[in-house]
Amino acid sequence: GLGGLLAGGAAGSVLSGGLGDLYKQFQQNGQTEVVNSWVSKEPNKQISANDLASALGADQIATVMKHTGLSREELLSGLSQQLPQVINNMTPDGRLPTEQELSRWL
C-alpha cells in the first residue's frame, strides 16, 4: 500500500525518478509555493488531490497505482495527506539534499 511506498523515502524514487525531479515537476506545474513549504522549515501547505493529480500527471499516477494496488482516489487522497510530511522529513535542513546525502538514507 501507500505506507510501504512512502517508507524510507521510496516516494522520491518511485515518483518521477528522484526527489529533485519531483520538486521540479511540482514547480513546473504551478505548485512552487506548496512544494517550497514542504522543503522549508516553515509549516507545510496542503495540496488538494486535484492539484496533486495535475502536478504528477496521468502516467505517473498510473505507475504508482500499479505499484501500490490502490485506486486513483485512494492514491491521491493518501498522497495529498502524506507526501508533504515525507518530503519535509527528507529535507530536514530546509533544502533539497545532495545526491551523497540521499544515498546514505536509501
Side-chain angles (χ1 to χ4, degrees):
L2 188 58
L5 171 73
L6 294 176
S13 60
V14 173
L15 297 171
S16 192
L19 183 59
D21 288 344
L22 185 63
Y23 181 80
K24 287 177 195 163
Q25 189 173 350
F26 274 78
Q27 288 183 316
Q28 291 167 350
N29 287 290
Q31 299 299 323
T32 300
E33 188 176 324
V34 171
V35 77
N36 282 345
S37 76
W38 302 348
V39 171
S40 76
K41 294 183 179 188
E42 301 299 319
N44 290 338
K45 293 185 185 290
Q46 297 300 310
I47 189 166
S48 72
N50 286 338
D51 286 344
L52 182 62
S54 295
L56 294 177
D59 290 345
Q60 236 173 356
I61 292 168
T63 299
V64 178
M65 284 171 55
K66 201 180 303 180
H67 277 70
T68 63
L70 297 172
S71 72
R72 186 177 191 280
E73 292 74 27
E74 290 170 322
L75 176 67
L76 291 173
S77 174
L79 280 177
S80 67
Q81 293 174 22
Q82 296 179 29
L83 192 59
Q85 189 58 47
V86 169
I87 291 178
N88 191 268
N89 290 343
M90 293 175 72
T91 56
D93 298 323
R95 61 171 174 75
L96 291 178
T98 65
E99 290 294 323
Q100 186 176 28
E101 290 169 333
L102 267 180
S103 69
R104 287 194 297 247
W105 299 343
L106 303 176

